[in-house]
Amino acid sequence: MSDLPAKAPRWAIWLPLALFLGFVALVIVGLYRPADRNVASALVGKSMPQFDLPAALPGRPGLDSKVLANGKPHLVNVFASWCIPCRVEAPQLGALAKAGVPIEGISVRDTTENLQGFLQTNGDPFQRIGADDDGKVQLALGSSGVPETYVVDGKGTIVYQHIGEIRPEHLGLLLEKLKEAGQ
């Protein structure tokens, strides 16, 4: 009897090359057909969750979900003073407010002083700002972070959710969604 190992089949020498080529093919397919990165909101088409947030700033009204069912469409922006993308979207929110869009704010885990500084630096497009100090309303909205913006029709139904900061190229879409919400 011999102590020599058995000879491997001839195809075994090509196995590493075949596995490598299979991996390269998967990478190429992934580059040409990337996964859909859009997150579908479970709340679109449903009523805004019920809430009554206290005022985030002295002398300003807080935000009650009943205000969002007053017959007119609204933009509801979930933001925070410590949020860098919120600073990026501030000029676009200002432009929407100047165009007559009613914008309501939900300030998440913020302090009065920081919020005042944020609004002085970046502008204040909000009609009302509710203080969501514990993040419960943010969670009820299914919000994964800040900023997020919701288009709410006059009956208080969420018709569109925008995840991330609003950029200049998003203004047309938001205005279109607001127009549809007002019909």
Side-chain angles (χ1 to χ4, degrees), residues 88-117:
V88 172
E89 77 174 358
Q92 286 70 250
L93 289 173
L96 289 167
K98 284 181 185 167
V101 173
I103 304 174
E104 314 298 346
I106 297 176
S107 174
V108 179
R109 297 180 196 94
D110 228 326
T111 66
T112 301
E113 298 78 30
N114 290 342
L115 184 56
Q116 286 173 329

PDB file of all heavy atoms in Angstrom, residues 88-117:
ATOM      1  N   VAL A  88     -28.596  72.260   5.464  1.00  0.00           N
ATOM      2  CA  VAL A  88     -28.520  72.237   3.999  1.00  0.00           C
ATOM      3  C   VAL A  88     -29.886  72.514   3.383  1.00  0.00           C
ATOM      4  O   VAL A  88     -29.988  73.214   2.374  1.00  0.00           O
ATOM      5  CB  VAL A  88     -27.964  70.873   3.517  1.00  0.00           C
ATOM      6  CG1 VAL A  88     -28.052  70.738   2.004  1.00  0.00           C
ATOM      7  CG2 VAL A  88     -26.531  70.683   3.998  1.00  0.00           C
ATOM      8  N   GLU A  89     -30.947  72.001   3.987  1.00  0.00           N
ATOM      9  CA  GLU A  89     -32.278  72.164   3.400  1.00  0.00           C
ATOM     10  C   GLU A  89     -32.952  73.480   3.781  1.00  0.00           C
ATOM     11  O   GLU A  89     -33.977  73.830   3.211  1.00  0.00           O
ATOM     12  CB  GLU A  89     -33.181  70.992   3.778  1.00  0.00           C
ATOM     13  CG  GLU A  89     -33.725  71.027   5.177  1.00  0.00           C
ATOM     14  CD  GLU A  89     -34.727  69.920   5.459  1.00  0.00           C
ATOM     15  OE1 GLU A  89     -35.049  69.123   4.553  1.00  0.00           O
ATOM     16  OE2 GLU A  89     -35.175  69.857   6.604  1.00  0.00           O
ATOM     17  N   ALA A  90     -32.390  74.216   4.721  1.00  0.00           N
ATOM     18  CA  ALA A  90     -33.021  75.456   5.206  1.00  0.00           C
ATOM     19  C   ALA A  90     -33.349  76.453   4.090  1.00  0.00           C
ATOM     20  O   ALA A  90     -34.459  77.008   4.080  1.00  0.00           O
ATOM     21  CB  ALA A  90     -32.154  76.096   6.284  1.00  0.00           C
ATOM     22  N   PRO A  91     -32.458  76.716   3.124  1.00  0.00           N
ATOM     23  CA  PRO A  91     -32.828  77.665   2.064  1.00  0.00           C
ATOM     24  C   PRO A  91     -34.029  77.195   1.229  1.00  0.00           C
ATOM     25  O   PRO A  91     -34.849  78.015   0.810  1.00  0.00           O
ATOM     26  CB  PRO A  91     -31.565  77.749   1.193  1.00  0.00           C
ATOM     27  CG  PRO A  91     -30.449  77.311   2.087  1.00  0.00           C
ATOM     28  CD  PRO A  91     -31.046  76.308   3.022  1.00  0.00           C
ATOM     29  N   GLN A  92     -34.129  75.893   1.018  1.00  0.00           N
ATOM     30  CA  GLN A  92     -35.258  75.367   0.239  1.00  0.00           C
ATOM     31  C   GLN A  92     -36.569  75.506   1.023  1.00  0.00           C
ATOM     32  O   GLN A  92     -37.608  75.828   0.453  1.00  0.00           O
ATOM     33  CB  GLN A  92     -35.024  73.904  -0.142  1.00  0.00           C
ATOM     34  CG  GLN A  92     -33.996  73.704  -1.245  1.00  0.00           C
ATOM     35  CD  GLN A  92     -32.574  74.022  -0.820  1.00  0.00           C
ATOM     36  OE1 GLN A  92     -32.023  75.016  -1.279  1.00  0.00           O
ATOM     37  NE2 GLN A  92     -31.967  73.228   0.042  1.00  0.00           N
ATOM     38  N   LEU A  93     -36.519  75.248   2.333  1.00  0.00           N
ATOM     39  CA  LEU A  93     -37.719  75.455   3.156  1.00  0.00           C
ATOM     40  C   LEU A  93     -38.114  76.927   3.146  1.00  0.00           C
ATOM     41  O   LEU A  93     -39.302  77.265   3.080  1.00  0.00           O
ATOM     42  CB  LEU A  93     -37.485  74.964   4.582  1.00  0.00           C
ATOM     43  CG  LEU A  93     -37.406  73.447   4.767  1.00  0.00           C
ATOM     44  CD1 LEU A  93     -37.006  73.109   6.197  1.00  0.00           C
ATOM     45  CD2 LEU A  93     -38.718  72.781   4.413  1.00  0.00           C
ATOM     46  N   GLY A  94     -37.131  77.817   3.196  1.00  0.00           N
ATOM     47  CA  GLY A  94     -37.409  79.250   3.122  1.00  0.00           C
ATOM     48  C   GLY A  94     -38.080  79.622   1.809  1.00  0.00           C
ATOM     49  O   GLY A  94     -39.029  80.416   1.785  1.00  0.00           O
ATOM     50  N   ALA A  95     -37.599  79.038   0.714  1.00  0.00           N
ATOM     51  CA  ALA A  95     -38.196  79.309  -0.604  1.00  0.00           C
ATOM     52  C   ALA A  95     -39.632  78.802  -0.663  1.00  0.00           C
ATOM     53  O   ALA A  95     -40.514  79.471  -1.212  1.00  0.00           O
ATOM     54  CB  ALA A  95     -37.352  78.668  -1.701  1.00  0.00           C
ATOM     55  N   LEU A  96     -39.887  77.627  -0.098  1.00  0.00           N
ATOM     56  CA  LEU A  96     -41.254  77.092  -0.074  1.00  0.00           C
ATOM     57  C   LEU A  96     -42.170  77.987   0.758  1.00  0.00           C
ATOM     58  O   LEU A  96     -43.310  78.257   0.365  1.00  0.00           O
ATOM     59  CB  LEU A  96     -41.255  75.658   0.464  1.00  0.00           C
ATOM     60  CG  LEU A  96     -40.659  74.606  -0.462  1.00  0.00           C
ATOM     61  CD1 LEU A  96     -40.417  73.294   0.296  1.00  0.00           C
ATOM     62  CD2 LEU A  96     -41.576  74.369  -1.661  1.00  0.00           C
ATOM     63  N   ALA A  97     -41.678  78.461   1.906  1.00  0.00           N
ATOM     64  CA  ALA A  97     -42.483  79.349   2.756  1.00  0.00           C
ATOM     65  C   ALA A  97     -42.795  80.653   2.014  1.00  0.00           C
ATOM     66  O   ALA A  97     -43.930  81.153   2.076  1.00  0.00           O
ATOM     67  CB  ALA A  97     -41.763  79.624   4.067  1.00  0.00           C
ATOM     68  N   LYS A  98     -41.813  81.203   1.300  1.00  0.00           N
ATOM     69  CA  LYS A  98     -42.036  82.439   0.541  1.00  0.00           C
ATOM     70  C   LYS A  98     -43.046  82.220  -0.576  1.00  0.00           C
ATOM     71  O   LYS A  98     -43.744  83.146  -0.976  1.00  0.00           O
ATOM     72  CB  LYS A  98     -40.721  82.957  -0.034  1.00  0.00           C
ATOM     73  CG  LYS A  98     -39.846  83.621   1.000  1.00  0.00           C
ATOM     74  CD  LYS A  98     -38.561  84.139   0.403  1.00  0.00           C
ATOM     75  CE  LYS A  98     -37.678  84.686   1.532  1.00  0.00           C
ATOM     76  NZ  LYS A  98     -36.310  84.932   1.088  1.00  0.00           N
ATOM     77  N   ALA A  99     -43.124  80.977  -1.071  1.00  0.00           N
ATOM     78  CA  ALA A  99     -44.101  80.651  -2.120  1.00  0.00           C
ATOM     79  C   ALA A  99     -45.494  80.420  -1.539  1.00  0.00           C
ATOM     80  O   ALA A  99     -46.424  80.096  -2.270  1.00  0.00           O
ATOM     81  CB  ALA A  99     -43.642  79.413  -2.885  1.00  0.00           C
ATOM     82  N   GLY A 100     -45.636  80.567  -0.217  1.00  0.00           N
ATOM     83  CA  GLY A 100     -46.942  80.432   0.420  1.00  0.00           C
ATOM     84  C   GLY A 100     -47.260  79.057   0.962  1.00  0.00           C
ATOM     85  O   GLY A 100     -48.396  78.794   1.357  1.00  0.00           O
ATOM     86  N   VAL A 101     -46.282  78.169   1.004  1.00  0.00           N
ATOM     87  CA  VAL A 101     -46.512  76.821   1.522  1.00  0.00           C
ATOM     88  C   VAL A 101     -46.526  76.868   3.048  1.00  0.00           C
ATOM     89  O   VAL A 101     -45.567  77.341   3.663  1.00  0.00           O
ATOM     90  CB  VAL A 101     -45.408  75.846   1.036  1.00  0.00           C
ATOM     91  CG1 VAL A 101     -45.550  74.491   1.699  1.00  0.00           C
ATOM     92  CG2 VAL A 101     -45.436  75.728  -0.475  1.00  0.00           C
ATOM     93  N   PRO A 102     -47.600  76.384   3.682  1.00  0.00           N
ATOM     94  CA  PRO A 102     -47.606  76.326   5.144  1.00  0.00           C
ATOM     95  C   PRO A 102     -46.697  75.192   5.624  1.00  0.00           C
ATOM     96  O   PRO A 102     -46.908  74.032   5.280  1.00  0.00           O
ATOM     97  CB  PRO A 102     -49.066  76.060   5.505  1.00  0.00           C
ATOM     98  CG  PRO A 102     -49.734  75.604   4.258  1.00  0.00           C
ATOM     99  CD  PRO A 102     -48.862  75.966   3.099  1.00  0.00           C
ATOM    100  N   ILE A 103     -45.673  75.549   6.394  1.00  0.00           N
ATOM    101  CA  ILE A 103     -44.702  74.565   6.878  1.00  0.00           C
ATOM    102  C   ILE A 103     -44.792  74.499   8.395  1.00  0.00           C
ATOM    103  O   ILE A 103     -44.669  75.511   9.089  1.00  0.00           O
ATOM    104  CB  ILE A 103     -43.269  74.924   6.452  1.00  0.00           C
ATOM    105  CG1 ILE A 103     -43.187  75.065   4.929  1.00  0.00           C
ATOM    106  CG2 ILE A 103     -42.277  73.876   6.952  1.00  0.00           C
ATOM    107  CD1 ILE A 103     -41.844  75.560   4.423  1.00  0.00           C
ATOM    108  N   GLU A 104     -45.021  73.287   8.881  1.00  0.00           N
ATOM    109  CA  GLU A 104     -45.069  73.026  10.321  1.00  0.00           C
ATOM    110  C   GLU A 104     -43.806  72.257  10.684  1.00  0.00           C
ATOM    111  O   GLU A 104     -43.348  71.413   9.930  1.00  0.00           O
ATOM    112  CB  GLU A 104     -46.304  72.200  10.678  1.00  0.00           C
ATOM    113  CG  GLU A 104     -47.608  72.671  10.052  1.00  0.00           C
ATOM    114  CD  GLU A 104     -48.040  74.067  10.448  1.00  0.00           C
ATOM    115  OE1 GLU A 104     -47.493  74.618  11.420  1.00  0.00           O
ATOM    116  OE2 GLU A 104     -48.934  74.618   9.784  1.00  0.00           O
ATOM    117  N   GLY A 105     -43.248  72.544  11.850  1.00  0.00           N
ATOM    118  CA  GLY A 105     -42.014  71.891  12.253  1.00  0.00           C
ATOM    119  C   GLY A 105     -42.186  71.003  13.468  1.00  0.00           C
ATOM    120  O   GLY A 105     -42.976  71.298  14.359  1.00  0.00           O
ATOM    121  N   ILE A 106     -41.446  69.913  13.478  1.00  0.00           N
ATOM    122  CA  ILE A 106     -41.340  69.048  14.654  1.00  0.00           C
ATOM    123  C   ILE A 106     -39.864  68.994  15.000  1.00  0.00           C
ATOM    124  O   ILE A 106     -39.056  68.439  14.254  1.00  0.00           O
ATOM    125  CB  ILE A 106     -41.892  67.635  14.387  1.00  0.00           C
ATOM    126  CG1 ILE A 106     -43.382  67.706  14.066  1.00  0.00           C
ATOM    127  CG2 ILE A 106     -41.628  66.722  15.586  1.00  0.00           C
ATOM    128  CD1 ILE A 106     -44.016  66.364  13.699  1.00  0.00           C
ATOM    129  N   SER A 107     -39.515  69.637  16.099  1.00  0.00           N
ATOM    130  CA  SER A 107     -38.137  69.703  16.550  1.00  0.00           C
ATOM    131  C   SER A 107     -37.864  68.492  17.448  1.00  0.00           C
ATOM    132  O   SER A 107     -38.530  68.300  18.456  1.00  0.00           O
ATOM    133  CB  SER A 107     -37.921  71.008  17.327  1.00  0.00           C
ATOM    134  OG  SER A 107     -36.641  71.033  17.898  1.00  0.00           O
ATOM    135  N   VAL A 108     -36.865  67.700  17.076  1.00  0.00           N
ATOM    136  CA  VAL A 108     -36.594  66.439  17.757  1.00  0.00           C
ATOM    137  C   VAL A 108     -35.396  66.575  18.691  1.00  0.00           C
ATOM    138  O   VAL A 108     -34.318  66.996  18.259  1.00  0.00           O
ATOM    139  CB  VAL A 108     -36.333  65.319  16.723  1.00  0.00           C
ATOM    140  CG1 VAL A 108     -36.022  64.005  17.408  1.00  0.00           C
ATOM    141  CG2 VAL A 108     -37.520  65.167  15.799  1.00  0.00           C
ATOM    142  N   ARG A 109     -35.603  66.231  19.953  1.00  0.00           N
ATOM    143  CA  ARG A 109     -34.530  66.171  20.959  1.00  0.00           C
ATOM    144  C   ARG A 109     -33.633  67.399  20.905  1.00  0.00           C
ATOM    145  O   ARG A 109     -32.432  67.304  20.699  1.00  0.00           O
ATOM    146  CB  ARG A 109     -33.714  64.890  20.789  1.00  0.00           C
ATOM    147  CG  ARG A 109     -34.503  63.633  21.009  1.00  0.00           C
ATOM    148  CD  ARG A 109     -33.632  62.379  20.822  1.00  0.00           C
ATOM    149  NE  ARG A 109     -34.477  61.215  20.671  1.00  0.00           N
ATOM    150  CZ  ARG A 109     -34.871  60.713  19.501  1.00  0.00           C
ATOM    151  NH1 ARG A 109     -34.482  61.253  18.385  1.00  0.00           N
ATOM    152  NH2 ARG A 109     -35.654  59.662  19.459  1.00  0.00           N
ATOM    153  N   ASP A 110     -34.245  68.551  21.108  1.00  0.00           N
ATOM    154  CA  ASP A 110     -33.517  69.810  20.993  1.00  0.00           C
ATOM    155  C   ASP A 110     -33.700  70.660  22.237  1.00  0.00           C
ATOM    156  O   ASP A 110     -34.580  70.393  23.057  1.00  0.00           O
ATOM    157  CB  ASP A 110     -34.024  70.581  19.769  1.00  0.00           C
ATOM    158  CG  ASP A 110     -32.909  71.083  18.896  1.00  0.00           C
ATOM    159  OD1 ASP A 110     -31.832  71.431  19.433  1.00  0.00           O
ATOM    160  OD2 ASP A 110     -33.091  71.134  17.670  1.00  0.00           O
ATOM    161  N   THR A 111     -32.884  71.696  22.360  1.00  0.00           N
ATOM    162  CA  THR A 111     -33.047  72.660  23.447  1.00  0.00           C
ATOM    163  C   THR A 111     -33.546  73.972  22.853  1.00  0.00           C
ATOM    164  O   THR A 111     -33.317  74.254  21.665  1.00  0.00           O
ATOM    165  CB  THR A 111     -31.709  72.921  24.180  1.00  0.00           C
ATOM    166  OG1 THR A 111     -30.807  73.562  23.273  1.00  0.00           O
ATOM    167  CG2 THR A 111     -31.111  71.633  24.715  1.00  0.00           C
ATOM    168  N   THR A 112     -34.189  74.777  23.665  1.00  0.00           N
ATOM    169  CA  THR A 112     -34.704  76.068  23.214  1.00  0.00           C
ATOM    170  C   THR A 112     -33.572  76.939  22.687  1.00  0.00           C
ATOM    171  O   THR A 112     -33.691  77.544  21.617  1.00  0.00           O
ATOM    172  CB  THR A 112     -35.440  76.776  24.370  1.00  0.00           C
ATOM    173  OG1 THR A 112     -36.507  75.926  24.805  1.00  0.00           O
ATOM    174  CG2 THR A 112     -35.997  78.115  23.943  1.00  0.00           C
ATOM    175  N   GLU A 113     -32.466  76.999  23.420  1.00  0.00           N
ATOM    176  CA  GLU A 113     -31.341  77.856  23.019  1.00  0.00           C
ATOM    177  C   GLU A 113     -30.758  77.426  21.667  1.00  0.00           C
ATOM    178  O   GLU A 113     -30.510  78.260  20.788  1.00  0.00           O
ATOM    179  CB  GLU A 113     -30.225  77.826  24.075  1.00  0.00           C
ATOM    180  CG  GLU A 113     -30.640  78.340  25.438  1.00  0.00           C
ATOM    181  CD  GLU A 113     -31.451  77.327  26.254  1.00  0.00           C
ATOM    182  OE1 GLU A 113     -31.255  76.096  26.095  1.00  0.00           O
ATOM    183  OE2 GLU A 113     -32.304  77.775  27.034  1.00  0.00           O
ATOM    184  N   ASN A 114     -30.527  76.134  21.516  1.00  0.00           N
ATOM    185  CA  ASN A 114     -29.969  75.647  20.243  1.00  0.00           C
ATOM    186  C   ASN A 114     -30.930  75.870  19.083  1.00  0.00           C
ATOM    187  O   ASN A 114     -30.512  76.227  17.982  1.00  0.00           O
ATOM    188  CB  ASN A 114     -29.606  74.165  20.343  1.00  0.00           C
ATOM    189  CG  ASN A 114     -28.412  73.916  21.226  1.00  0.00           C
ATOM    190  OD1 ASN A 114     -27.635  74.816  21.532  1.00  0.00           O
ATOM    191  ND2 ASN A 114     -28.244  72.685  21.663  1.00  0.00           N
ATOM    192  N   LEU A 115     -32.216  75.666  19.338  1.00  0.00           N
ATOM    193  CA  LEU A 115     -33.219  75.864  18.294  1.00  0.00           C
ATOM    194  C   LEU A 115     -33.288  77.331  17.885  1.00  0.00           C
ATOM    195  O   LEU A 115     -33.338  77.644  16.687  1.00  0.00           O
ATOM    196  CB  LEU A 115     -34.575  75.363  18.781  1.00  0.00           C
ATOM    197  CG  LEU A 115     -35.716  75.398  17.780  1.00  0.00           C
ATOM    198  CD1 LEU A 115     -35.367  74.617  16.515  1.00  0.00           C
ATOM    199  CD2 LEU A 115     -36.978  74.849  18.406  1.00  0.00           C
ATOM    200  N   GLN A 116     -33.269  78.232  18.858  1.00  0.00           N
ATOM    201  CA  GLN A 116     -33.289  79.660  18.534  1.00  0.00           C
ATOM    202  C   GLN A 116     -32.077  80.047  17.689  1.00  0.00           C
ATOM    203  O   GLN A 116     -32.202  80.778  16.705  1.00  0.00           O
ATOM    204  CB  GLN A 116     -33.331  80.501  19.819  1.00  0.00           C
ATOM    205  CG  GLN A 116     -34.681  80.487  20.490  1.00  0.00           C
ATOM    206  CD  GLN A 116     -34.678  81.177  21.845  1.00  0.00           C
ATOM    207  OE1 GLN A 116     -33.678  81.172  22.563  1.00  0.00           O
ATOM    208  NE2 GLN A 116     -35.819  81.745  22.205  1.00  0.00           N
ATOM    209  N   GLY A 117     -30.908  79.546  18.061  1.00  0.00           N
ATOM    210  CA  GLY A 117     -29.698  79.832  17.289  1.00  0.00           C
ATOM    211  C   GLY A 117     -29.785  79.284  15.876  1.00  0.00           C
ATOM    212  O   GLY A 117     -29.386  79.951  14.908  1.00  0.00           O
TER     213      GLY A 117
END
